[in-house]
Amino acid sequence: MEDYTKFKLKRKEELDAVLADKNDLFVVACNKCFKELASFDEPECGLFEEIAKEQGKNIVGSAQIDFLCNEPLTSKAFQDLIPQDAKNVFVISCGLGIQTMAGLLDIPVYAGSDTVTVDGYHGMALTTTLCEACGQCYLNMTGGICPVVDCSKSLLNGQCGGAKNGKCEVDKEMDCGWQLIYERLEKQGRLQELLDKPVELRDYTKVNHKFVSEYVKSVREERYEGYYGGIHPTEFKELSEHIGLVAFPDPVNVVIPMSQHAGAPAEPIVKVGDQVKMGQKIAQAAGVVSSAIHASVSGTVVAVEPRRHPVSGLDSLAIVIQSDGKNTLDESVKPAGDIDSLSADEIIEIVREKGIVGMGGAGFPTAVKLKSPKPIELVLLNACECEPILTADHRVLLEYADEVIYGLKAMMKASGAPKGVIAIEDNKLDAVELMQAKTADIENIEIVVAKTKYPQGAEKMLIKRVMGKQVPSGGLPMDVGAIVCNVSTAKAVSDAIQLGMPLIERVVTVSGNRMNKPGNYLVKIGTSVKDIVNHCGDVKGDDVTVKIGGPMMGFAQADLNVPMLKCSNGIIAVETIVKEAVECIKCGRCMDVCPMELRPLYFTKFALEENWEGMKAQNTMDCIECGCCEYICSSKIPIVERIKIGKTAIREGK
């Protein structure tokens, strides 16, 4: 594979001049972009060290970093890495990496290389710095601040006098680049170096700086809004967001799997031939992290046997009930009182007994979350619904606002949290206005409007956005004093307390550009996906993929004869995308969009090598499987699939 090098070592004569009065060097080399992922020493780094040693220079250390221009990851990598006896840092990278290092360190940073163009442009790495690949890097002269891109006029001959209060006369939003240069060099005691340099003039015909600046700005706009990384896929919310909730017709049969929550599968407590009522417990939790399961219809148990599971794709034990069409309520379905009359432990017991789990996708038993061993300062309701196409949570907010708020209050009391927050993305302004009006007089509940971005709704991202706190690697939200629940979960908690109704139905979006009649439905748990799709006019055309969940994290279904689960928030029909993977070109885009600040390109490499230790060392277990890396991958690599394989191997101790 061709090596798309974007920088070259400066000429030996130029390096000799820069090195002449400097010693105690630390050398940093970037592993470079757009090349075959391989582990070997870059020749430029070794060549530079040879030149420095020829001059008798002392090299106190060196480091090679992937994508040096990625400031958040680079800043982490360099914590305590540079020895105290280092007096000068030389960087072998393109201008992006050199500028990044110069902005991070207090000691002088020098360019050991010049950036060169590839196909006429450079700087596609999503960084907060710029580089025009001029081939004659001036950063040594200017303290790591580029006079070409950090000056609106691209002036190489110093300040023009057209600045006021530190801002440029051409772009009043832009700091004067030359003032920044002077301030940095003065701080480092190097200002006289600059003042002694001869004046240099720039040929303005070489580059349209305004075009480049606007282009790069458009690519990077608000990249760090709320949290690092993320993507902006086409939403397709308009297909169903305006359609009100409708009760889906009662199914003739329901297939209720014993495994539809995180943890141990539930254990059946009914047998074939038993008559059951709607809301009756039919399976008990098998341990602390498990959940009870209830009948979603009244009728007869006709089978307790393995059936196809929509998530695993394997056969899984399920209870099949033939409905009698009466929906006769079980005697256990009765109001439990109100929040004020119930203790925290009583609320938690109701939540446990009624089989309530996280309804945003993960299915973690809610009672376990509420009984936290650590102090909780905030219950955070996730109403972002950042997955494209899905609108179920949006409709829950609009049509069950009072129940959502009631459920939030109950969870706050159960967990001892003094505050509640409902986070809603700014593509649901009607829901924002409604919830703000409903909570205006509630002092300890706040509505937070989040910038629309995927995966905003991932709990660790939401905590960072709302609380400004980072869940530690391998940690849980409770480690930073938070509980995160889906809005549908809050509605289910309300139903359990106010009505006595267990979790036997949920709001489901049926949509996608290949679904004939999109809509939002209140669906009984165990209803057949095939029946729902048929009711919605079936799918359009051939080459259609049906998923349970959203397009990013949903589960593709080869067979639609599978049931809806407690955590199934949607059924979507989309065009089948055929991707043929090629080798990783190490473009770094997966790192740029990873909200967990991981390095997915290593996961793909190590999975193929079965290097499970390598995957573990790269913190694979912190991956939330959001699919941003796979969505953006230039090589169309099935990254999430390889991550899941690696996680399984690590859990099995391979």
PDB file of all heavy atoms in Angstrom, residues 321-356:
ATOM      1  N   ILE A 321     -48.117 -17.653  25.212  1.00  0.00           N
ATOM      2  CA  ILE A 321     -49.482 -17.553  25.740  1.00  0.00           C
ATOM      3  C   ILE A 321     -50.443 -17.308  24.589  1.00  0.00           C
ATOM      4  O   ILE A 321     -50.238 -16.400  23.770  1.00  0.00           O
ATOM      5  CB  ILE A 321     -49.601 -16.394  26.761  1.00  0.00           C
ATOM      6  CG1 ILE A 321     -48.604 -16.571  27.907  1.00  0.00           C
ATOM      7  CG2 ILE A 321     -51.027 -16.294  27.302  1.00  0.00           C
ATOM      8  CD1 ILE A 321     -48.518 -15.373  28.838  1.00  0.00           C
ATOM      9  N   GLN A 322     -51.502 -18.126  24.544  1.00  0.00           N
ATOM     10  CA  GLN A 322     -52.571 -17.904  23.567  1.00  0.00           C
ATOM     11  C   GLN A 322     -53.617 -17.005  24.221  1.00  0.00           C
ATOM     12  O   GLN A 322     -54.181 -17.346  25.260  1.00  0.00           O
ATOM     13  CB  GLN A 322     -53.202 -19.229  23.146  1.00  0.00           C
ATOM     14  CG  GLN A 322     -54.236 -19.085  22.037  1.00  0.00           C
ATOM     15  CD  GLN A 322     -54.760 -20.434  21.572  1.00  0.00           C
ATOM     16  OE1 GLN A 322     -55.181 -21.257  22.390  1.00  0.00           O
ATOM     17  NE2 GLN A 322     -54.704 -20.686  20.273  1.00  0.00           N
ATOM     18  N   SER A 323     -53.869 -15.868  23.626  1.00  0.00           N
ATOM     19  CA  SER A 323     -54.759 -14.884  24.230  1.00  0.00           C
ATOM     20  C   SER A 323     -56.216 -15.326  24.147  1.00  0.00           C
ATOM     21  O   SER A 323     -56.645 -15.927  23.153  1.00  0.00           O
ATOM     22  CB  SER A 323     -54.603 -13.541  23.519  1.00  0.00           C
ATOM     23  OG  SER A 323     -55.543 -12.612  23.993  1.00  0.00           O
ATOM     24  N   ASP A 324     -56.972 -15.005  25.205  1.00  0.00           N
ATOM     25  CA  ASP A 324     -58.418 -15.263  25.159  1.00  0.00           C
ATOM     26  C   ASP A 324     -59.190 -14.023  24.706  1.00  0.00           C
ATOM     27  O   ASP A 324     -60.427 -14.023  24.654  1.00  0.00           O
ATOM     28  CB  ASP A 324     -58.933 -15.734  26.526  1.00  0.00           C
ATOM     29  CG  ASP A 324     -58.654 -14.734  27.650  1.00  0.00           C
ATOM     30  OD1 ASP A 324     -58.344 -13.566  27.343  1.00  0.00           O
ATOM     31  OD2 ASP A 324     -58.734 -15.122  28.833  1.00  0.00           O
ATOM     32  N   GLY A 325     -58.426 -12.954  24.395  1.00  0.00           N
ATOM     33  CA  GLY A 325     -59.054 -11.743  23.887  1.00  0.00           C
ATOM     34  C   GLY A 325     -59.739 -10.886  24.933  1.00  0.00           C
ATOM     35  O   GLY A 325     -60.325  -9.850  24.607  1.00  0.00           O
ATOM     36  N   LYS A 326     -59.661 -11.292  26.212  1.00  0.00           N
ATOM     37  CA  LYS A 326     -60.399 -10.582  27.269  1.00  0.00           C
ATOM     38  C   LYS A 326     -59.528  -9.582  28.041  1.00  0.00           C
ATOM     39  O   LYS A 326     -60.049  -8.667  28.679  1.00  0.00           O
ATOM     40  CB  LYS A 326     -61.003 -11.590  28.250  1.00  0.00           C
ATOM     41  CG  LYS A 326     -62.000 -12.542  27.602  1.00  0.00           C
ATOM     42  CD  LYS A 326     -62.496 -13.572  28.612  1.00  0.00           C
ATOM     43  CE  LYS A 326     -63.465 -14.553  27.963  1.00  0.00           C
ATOM     44  NZ  LYS A 326     -63.915 -15.591  28.932  1.00  0.00           N
ATOM     45  N   ASN A 327     -58.214  -9.776  28.023  1.00  0.00           N
ATOM     46  CA  ASN A 327     -57.305  -8.917  28.799  1.00  0.00           C
ATOM     47  C   ASN A 327     -57.751  -8.788  30.253  1.00  0.00           C
ATOM     48  O   ASN A 327     -57.741  -7.701  30.844  1.00  0.00           O
ATOM     49  CB  ASN A 327     -57.186  -7.527  28.167  1.00  0.00           C
ATOM     50  CG  ASN A 327     -56.278  -7.533  26.930  1.00  0.00           C
ATOM     51  OD1 ASN A 327     -55.411  -8.392  26.796  1.00  0.00           O
ATOM     52  ND2 ASN A 327     -56.509  -6.600  26.033  1.00  0.00           N
ATOM     53  N   THR A 328     -58.148  -9.906  30.845  1.00  0.00           N
ATOM     54  CA  THR A 328     -58.581  -9.929  32.242  1.00  0.00           C
ATOM     55  C   THR A 328     -57.399  -9.598  33.140  1.00  0.00           C
ATOM     56  O   THR A 328     -56.354 -10.243  33.075  1.00  0.00           O
ATOM     57  CB  THR A 328     -59.135 -11.317  32.618  1.00  0.00           C
ATOM     58  OG1 THR A 328     -60.168 -11.675  31.685  1.00  0.00           O
ATOM     59  CG2 THR A 328     -59.685 -11.310  34.040  1.00  0.00           C
ATOM     60  N   LEU A 329     -57.549  -8.568  33.999  1.00  0.00           N
ATOM     61  CA  LEU A 329     -56.457  -8.129  34.862  1.00  0.00           C
ATOM     62  C   LEU A 329     -56.250  -9.075  36.038  1.00  0.00           C
ATOM     63  O   LEU A 329     -57.218  -9.552  36.645  1.00  0.00           O
ATOM     64  CB  LEU A 329     -56.731  -6.724  35.404  1.00  0.00           C
ATOM     65  CG  LEU A 329     -56.323  -5.528  34.545  1.00  0.00           C
ATOM     66  CD1 LEU A 329     -56.698  -4.243  35.259  1.00  0.00           C
ATOM     67  CD2 LEU A 329     -54.837  -5.549  34.234  1.00  0.00           C
ATOM     68  N   ASP A 330     -55.008  -9.302  36.369  1.00  0.00           N
ATOM     69  CA  ASP A 330     -54.675 -10.087  37.553  1.00  0.00           C
ATOM     70  C   ASP A 330     -54.991  -9.280  38.818  1.00  0.00           C
ATOM     71  O   ASP A 330     -54.928  -8.045  38.806  1.00  0.00           O
ATOM     72  CB  ASP A 330     -53.183 -10.457  37.518  1.00  0.00           C
ATOM     73  CG  ASP A 330     -52.806 -11.442  38.611  1.00  0.00           C
ATOM     74  OD1 ASP A 330     -53.349 -12.556  38.620  1.00  0.00           O
ATOM     75  OD2 ASP A 330     -51.955 -11.067  39.452  1.00  0.00           O
ATOM     76  N   GLU A 331     -55.314  -9.993  39.901  1.00  0.00           N
ATOM     77  CA  GLU A 331     -55.676  -9.330  41.160  1.00  0.00           C
ATOM     78  C   GLU A 331     -54.522  -8.500  41.736  1.00  0.00           C
ATOM     79  O   GLU A 331     -54.740  -7.572  42.539  1.00  0.00           O
ATOM     80  CB  GLU A 331     -56.123 -10.369  42.198  1.00  0.00           C
ATOM     81  CG  GLU A 331     -57.417 -11.093  41.864  1.00  0.00           C
ATOM     82  CD  GLU A 331     -57.252 -12.153  40.793  1.00  0.00           C
ATOM     83  OE1 GLU A 331     -56.084 -12.504  40.463  1.00  0.00           O
ATOM     84  OE2 GLU A 331     -58.274 -12.633  40.260  1.00  0.00           O
ATOM     85  N   SER A 332     -53.296  -8.803  41.333  1.00  0.00           N
ATOM     86  CA  SER A 332     -52.131  -8.072  41.849  1.00  0.00           C
ATOM     87  C   SER A 332     -52.007  -6.674  41.246  1.00  0.00           C
ATOM     88  O   SER A 332     -51.247  -5.847  41.744  1.00  0.00           O
ATOM     89  CB  SER A 332     -50.845  -8.861  41.573  1.00  0.00           C
ATOM     90  OG  SER A 332     -50.625  -8.953  40.172  1.00  0.00           O
ATOM     91  N   VAL A 333     -52.752  -6.404  40.179  1.00  0.00           N
ATOM     92  CA  VAL A 333     -52.657  -5.107  39.511  1.00  0.00           C
ATOM     93  C   VAL A 333     -53.580  -4.117  40.213  1.00  0.00           C
ATOM     94  O   VAL A 333     -54.777  -4.015  39.919  1.00  0.00           O
ATOM     95  CB  VAL A 333     -53.017  -5.215  38.014  1.00  0.00           C
ATOM     96  CG1 VAL A 333     -52.905  -3.854  37.338  1.00  0.00           C
ATOM     97  CG2 VAL A 333     -52.114  -6.218  37.327  1.00  0.00           C
ATOM     98  N   LYS A 334     -53.011  -3.392  41.169  1.00  0.00           N
ATOM     99  CA  LYS A 334     -53.781  -2.388  41.910  1.00  0.00           C
ATOM    100  C   LYS A 334     -52.811  -1.305  42.382  1.00  0.00           C
ATOM    101  O   LYS A 334     -51.623  -1.564  42.604  1.00  0.00           O
ATOM    102  CB  LYS A 334     -54.505  -3.017  43.094  1.00  0.00           C
ATOM    103  CG  LYS A 334     -53.602  -3.783  44.044  1.00  0.00           C
ATOM    104  CD  LYS A 334     -54.432  -4.527  45.083  1.00  0.00           C
ATOM    105  CE  LYS A 334     -53.517  -5.365  46.002  1.00  0.00           C
ATOM    106  NZ  LYS A 334     -54.294  -6.152  46.964  1.00  0.00           N
ATOM    107  N   PRO A 335     -53.290  -0.076  42.523  1.00  0.00           N
ATOM    108  CA  PRO A 335     -52.412   1.036  42.928  1.00  0.00           C
ATOM    109  C   PRO A 335     -51.696   0.746  44.240  1.00  0.00           C
ATOM    110  O   PRO A 335     -52.247   0.106  45.151  1.00  0.00           O
ATOM    111  CB  PRO A 335     -53.373   2.220  43.060  1.00  0.00           C
ATOM    112  CG  PRO A 335     -54.529   1.859  42.179  1.00  0.00           C
ATOM    113  CD  PRO A 335     -54.669   0.373  42.271  1.00  0.00           C
ATOM    114  N   ALA A 336     -50.454   1.242  44.321  1.00  0.00           N
ATOM    115  CA  ALA A 336     -49.634   0.980  45.510  1.00  0.00           C
ATOM    116  C   ALA A 336     -49.657   2.146  46.489  1.00  0.00           C
ATOM    117  O   ALA A 336     -49.024   2.084  47.543  1.00  0.00           O
ATOM    118  CB  ALA A 336     -48.195   0.697  45.091  1.00  0.00           C
ATOM    119  N   GLY A 337     -50.362   3.226  46.161  1.00  0.00           N
ATOM    120  CA  GLY A 337     -50.336   4.411  47.009  1.00  0.00           C
ATOM    121  C   GLY A 337     -49.719   5.554  46.241  1.00  0.00           C
ATOM    122  O   GLY A 337     -49.807   5.619  45.013  1.00  0.00           O
ATOM    123  N   ASP A 338     -49.093   6.487  46.933  1.00  0.00           N
ATOM    124  CA  ASP A 338     -48.405   7.584  46.251  1.00  0.00           C
ATOM    125  C   ASP A 338     -46.993   7.717  46.800  1.00  0.00           C
ATOM    126  O   ASP A 338     -46.628   7.087  47.798  1.00  0.00           O
ATOM    127  CB  ASP A 338     -49.178   8.893  46.375  1.00  0.00           C
ATOM    128  CG  ASP A 338     -49.409   9.289  47.830  1.00  0.00           C
ATOM    129  OD1 ASP A 338     -48.447   9.281  48.626  1.00  0.00           O
ATOM    130  OD2 ASP A 338     -50.564   9.601  48.172  1.00  0.00           O
ATOM    131  N   ILE A 339     -46.219   8.568  46.155  1.00  0.00           N
ATOM    132  CA  ILE A 339     -44.800   8.700  46.504  1.00  0.00           C
ATOM    133  C   ILE A 339     -44.628   9.105  47.969  1.00  0.00           C
ATOM    134  O   ILE A 339     -43.769   8.581  48.679  1.00  0.00           O
ATOM    135  CB  ILE A 339     -44.109   9.731  45.582  1.00  0.00           C
ATOM    136  CG1 ILE A 339     -44.147   9.255  44.132  1.00  0.00           C
ATOM    137  CG2 ILE A 339     -42.659   9.948  46.008  1.00  0.00           C
ATOM    138  CD1 ILE A 339     -43.646  10.287  43.137  1.00  0.00           C
ATOM    139  N   ASP A 340     -45.457  10.032  48.416  1.00  0.00           N
ATOM    140  CA  ASP A 340     -45.302  10.551  49.781  1.00  0.00           C
ATOM    141  C   ASP A 340     -45.535   9.479  50.835  1.00  0.00           C
ATOM    142  O   ASP A 340     -44.912   9.496  51.900  1.00  0.00           O
ATOM    143  CB  ASP A 340     -46.268  11.723  50.009  1.00  0.00           C
ATOM    144  CG  ASP A 340     -45.912  12.931  49.151  1.00  0.00           C
ATOM    145  OD1 ASP A 340     -44.722  13.067  48.795  1.00  0.00           O
ATOM    146  OD2 ASP A 340     -46.820  13.720  48.826  1.00  0.00           O
ATOM    147  N   SER A 341     -46.440   8.543  50.548  1.00  0.00           N
ATOM    148  CA  SER A 341     -46.766   7.518  51.550  1.00  0.00           C
ATOM    149  C   SER A 341     -45.838   6.308  51.487  1.00  0.00           C
ATOM    150  O   SER A 341     -45.857   5.462  52.378  1.00  0.00           O
ATOM    151  CB  SER A 341     -48.218   7.056  51.373  1.00  0.00           C
ATOM    152  OG  SER A 341     -48.370   6.403  50.115  1.00  0.00           O
ATOM    153  N   LEU A 342     -45.030   6.218  50.449  1.00  0.00           N
ATOM    154  CA  LEU A 342     -44.140   5.063  50.279  1.00  0.00           C
ATOM    155  C   LEU A 342     -42.724   5.419  50.705  1.00  0.00           C
ATOM    156  O   LEU A 342     -42.246   6.530  50.452  1.00  0.00           O
ATOM    157  CB  LEU A 342     -44.123   4.622  48.812  1.00  0.00           C
ATOM    158  CG  LEU A 342     -45.437   4.068  48.237  1.00  0.00           C
ATOM    159  CD1 LEU A 342     -45.332   3.924  46.730  1.00  0.00           C
ATOM    160  CD2 LEU A 342     -45.778   2.715  48.881  1.00  0.00           C
ATOM    161  N   SER A 343     -42.036   4.470  51.332  1.00  0.00           N
ATOM    162  CA  SER A 343     -40.622   4.671  51.671  1.00  0.00           C
ATOM    163  C   SER A 343     -39.761   4.381  50.445  1.00  0.00           C
ATOM    164  O   SER A 343     -40.240   3.805  49.454  1.00  0.00           O
ATOM    165  CB  SER A 343     -40.212   3.747  52.814  1.00  0.00           C
ATOM    166  OG  SER A 343     -40.209   2.384  52.360  1.00  0.00           O
ATOM    167  N   ALA A 344     -38.506   4.764  50.527  1.00  0.00           N
ATOM    168  CA  ALA A 344     -37.579   4.496  49.425  1.00  0.00           C
ATOM    169  C   ALA A 344     -37.499   3.000  49.144  1.00  0.00           C
ATOM    170  O   ALA A 344     -37.555   2.571  47.983  1.00  0.00           O
ATOM    171  CB  ALA A 344     -36.195   5.059  49.752  1.00  0.00           C
ATOM    172  N   ASP A 345     -37.377   2.190  50.191  1.00  0.00           N
ATOM    173  CA  ASP A 345     -37.279   0.735  50.006  1.00  0.00           C
ATOM    174  C   ASP A 345     -38.549   0.156  49.400  1.00  0.00           C
ATOM    175  O   ASP A 345     -38.493  -0.792  48.607  1.00  0.00           O
ATOM    176  CB  ASP A 345     -36.976   0.049  51.337  1.00  0.00           C
ATOM    177  CG  ASP A 345     -35.524   0.245  51.764  1.00  0.00           C
ATOM    178  OD1 ASP A 345     -34.697   0.580  50.891  1.00  0.00           O
ATOM    179  OD2 ASP A 345     -35.220   0.067  52.958  1.00  0.00           O
ATOM    180  N   GLU A 346     -39.715   0.716  49.786  1.00  0.00           N
ATOM    181  CA  GLU A 346     -40.979   0.222  49.222  1.00  0.00           C
ATOM    182  C   GLU A 346     -41.065   0.527  47.728  1.00  0.00           C
ATOM    183  O   GLU A 346     -41.543  -0.301  46.938  1.00  0.00           O
ATOM    184  CB  GLU A 346     -42.156   0.851  49.971  1.00  0.00           C
ATOM    185  CG  GLU A 346     -42.359   0.267  51.358  1.00  0.00           C
ATOM    186  CD  GLU A 346     -43.401   1.025  52.176  1.00  0.00           C
ATOM    187  OE1 GLU A 346     -43.583   2.254  51.946  1.00  0.00           O
ATOM    188  OE2 GLU A 346     -44.028   0.400  53.050  1.00  0.00           O
ATOM    189  N   ILE A 347     -40.608   1.702  47.332  1.00  0.00           N
ATOM    190  CA  ILE A 347     -40.608   2.036  45.899  1.00  0.00           C
ATOM    191  C   ILE A 347     -39.698   1.079  45.137  1.00  0.00           C
ATOM    192  O   ILE A 347     -40.063   0.563  44.067  1.00  0.00           O
ATOM    193  CB  ILE A 347     -40.162   3.496  45.683  1.00  0.00           C
ATOM    194  CG1 ILE A 347     -41.190   4.465  46.263  1.00  0.00           C
ATOM    195  CG2 ILE A 347     -39.948   3.788  44.190  1.00  0.00           C
ATOM    196  CD1 ILE A 347     -40.750   5.920  46.253  1.00  0.00           C
ATOM    197  N   ILE A 348     -38.507   0.846  45.684  1.00  0.00           N
ATOM    198  CA  ILE A 348     -37.565  -0.067  45.022  1.00  0.00           C
ATOM    199  C   ILE A 348     -38.165  -1.465  44.903  1.00  0.00           C
ATOM    200  O   ILE A 348     -38.023  -2.120  43.853  1.00  0.00           O
ATOM    201  CB  ILE A 348     -36.229  -0.105  45.798  1.00  0.00           C
ATOM    202  CG1 ILE A 348     -35.502   1.242  45.668  1.00  0.00           C
ATOM    203  CG2 ILE A 348     -35.326  -1.230  45.283  1.00  0.00           C
ATOM    204  CD1 ILE A 348     -34.276   1.384  46.550  1.00  0.00           C
ATOM    205  N   GLU A 349     -38.864  -1.923  45.924  1.00  0.00           N
ATOM    206  CA  GLU A 349     -39.465  -3.257  45.889  1.00  0.00           C
ATOM    207  C   GLU A 349     -40.570  -3.334  44.833  1.00  0.00           C
ATOM    208  O   GLU A 349     -40.710  -4.338  44.129  1.00  0.00           O
ATOM    209  CB  GLU A 349     -40.025  -3.620  47.270  1.00  0.00           C
ATOM    210  CG  GLU A 349     -40.550  -5.048  47.372  1.00  0.00           C
ATOM    211  CD  GLU A 349     -39.522  -6.110  46.961  1.00  0.00           C
ATOM    212  OE1 GLU A 349     -38.318  -5.929  47.219  1.00  0.00           O
ATOM    213  OE2 GLU A 349     -39.940  -7.138  46.370  1.00  0.00           O
ATOM    214  N   ILE A 350     -41.361  -2.254  44.712  1.00  0.00           N
ATOM    215  CA  ILE A 350     -42.399  -2.224  43.671  1.00  0.00           C
ATOM    216  C   ILE A 350     -41.754  -2.312  42.292  1.00  0.00           C
ATOM    217  O   ILE A 350     -42.196  -3.075  41.420  1.00  0.00           O
ATOM    218  CB  ILE A 350     -43.238  -0.931  43.795  1.00  0.00           C
ATOM    219  CG1 ILE A 350     -44.082  -0.975  45.073  1.00  0.00           C
ATOM    220  CG2 ILE A 350     -44.130  -0.741  42.567  1.00  0.00           C
ATOM    221  CD1 ILE A 350     -44.705   0.361  45.432  1.00  0.00           C
ATOM    222  N   VAL A 351     -40.710  -1.525  42.089  1.00  0.00           N
ATOM    223  CA  VAL A 351     -40.005  -1.514  40.798  1.00  0.00           C
ATOM    224  C   VAL A 351     -39.445  -2.901  40.484  1.00  0.00           C
ATOM    225  O   VAL A 351     -39.518  -3.381  39.346  1.00  0.00           O
ATOM    226  CB  VAL A 351     -38.885  -0.449  40.811  1.00  0.00           C
ATOM    227  CG1 VAL A 351     -37.983  -0.582  39.592  1.00  0.00           C
ATOM    228  CG2 VAL A 351     -39.479   0.952  40.868  1.00  0.00           C
ATOM    229  N   ARG A 352     -38.902  -3.559  41.505  1.00  0.00           N
ATOM    230  CA  ARG A 352     -38.355  -4.904  41.314  1.00  0.00           C
ATOM    231  C   ARG A 352     -39.471  -5.909  40.997  1.00  0.00           C
ATOM    232  O   ARG A 352     -39.376  -6.698  40.055  1.00  0.00           O
ATOM    233  CB  ARG A 352     -37.597  -5.350  42.563  1.00  0.00           C
ATOM    234  CG  ARG A 352     -37.025  -6.775  42.444  1.00  0.00           C
ATOM    235  CD  ARG A 352     -36.309  -7.211  43.705  1.00  0.00           C
ATOM    236  NE  ARG A 352     -35.073  -6.476  43.919  1.00  0.00           N
ATOM    237  CZ  ARG A 352     -34.874  -5.581  44.871  1.00  0.00           C
ATOM    238  NH1 ARG A 352     -35.842  -5.293  45.737  1.00  0.00           N
ATOM    239  NH2 ARG A 352     -33.727  -4.950  44.978  1.00  0.00           N
ATOM    240  N   GLU A 353     -40.538  -5.850  41.802  1.00  0.00           N
ATOM    241  CA  GLU A 353     -41.628  -6.824  41.665  1.00  0.00           C
ATOM    242  C   GLU A 353     -42.365  -6.675  40.337  1.00  0.00           C
ATOM    243  O   GLU A 353     -42.841  -7.660  39.767  1.00  0.00           O
ATOM    244  CB  GLU A 353     -42.605  -6.650  42.837  1.00  0.00           C
ATOM    245  CG  GLU A 353     -43.686  -7.715  42.942  1.00  0.00           C
ATOM    246  CD  GLU A 353     -43.154  -9.124  43.181  1.00  0.00           C
ATOM    247  OE1 GLU A 353     -42.022  -9.266  43.706  1.00  0.00           O
ATOM    248  OE2 GLU A 353     -43.868 -10.088  42.822  1.00  0.00           O
ATOM    249  N   LYS A 354     -42.424  -5.452  39.815  1.00  0.00           N
ATOM    250  CA  LYS A 354     -43.156  -5.210  38.569  1.00  0.00           C
ATOM    251  C   LYS A 354     -42.276  -5.394  37.332  1.00  0.00           C
ATOM    252  O   LYS A 354     -42.693  -5.094  36.214  1.00  0.00           O
ATOM    253  CB  LYS A 354     -43.762  -3.802  38.576  1.00  0.00           C
ATOM    254  CG  LYS A 354     -44.798  -3.585  39.681  1.00  0.00           C
ATOM    255  CD  LYS A 354     -45.992  -4.532  39.573  1.00  0.00           C
ATOM    256  CE  LYS A 354     -47.023  -4.281  40.663  1.00  0.00           C
ATOM    257  NZ  LYS A 354     -48.180  -5.207  40.571  1.00  0.00           N
ATOM    258  N   GLY A 355     -41.048  -5.872  37.524  1.00  0.00           N
ATOM    259  CA  GLY A 355     -40.205  -6.250  36.387  1.00  0.00           C
ATOM    260  C   GLY A 355     -39.742  -5.101  35.520  1.00  0.00           C
ATOM    261  O   GLY A 355     -39.589  -5.253  34.297  1.00  0.00           O
ATOM    262  N   ILE A 356     -39.467  -3.962  36.133  1.00  0.00           N
ATOM    263  CA  ILE A 356     -39.084  -2.788  35.340  1.00  0.00           C
ATOM    264  C   ILE A 356     -37.580  -2.795  35.078  1.00  0.00           C
ATOM    265  O   ILE A 356     -36.777  -2.959  35.997  1.00  0.00           O
ATOM    266  CB  ILE A 356     -39.513  -1.492  36.048  1.00  0.00           C
ATOM    267  CG1 ILE A 356     -41.038  -1.477  36.161  1.00  0.00           C
ATOM    268  CG2 ILE A 356     -39.027  -0.264  35.282  1.00  0.00           C
ATOM    269  CD1 ILE A 356     -41.584  -0.361  36.984  1.00  0.00           C
TER     270      ILE A 356
END
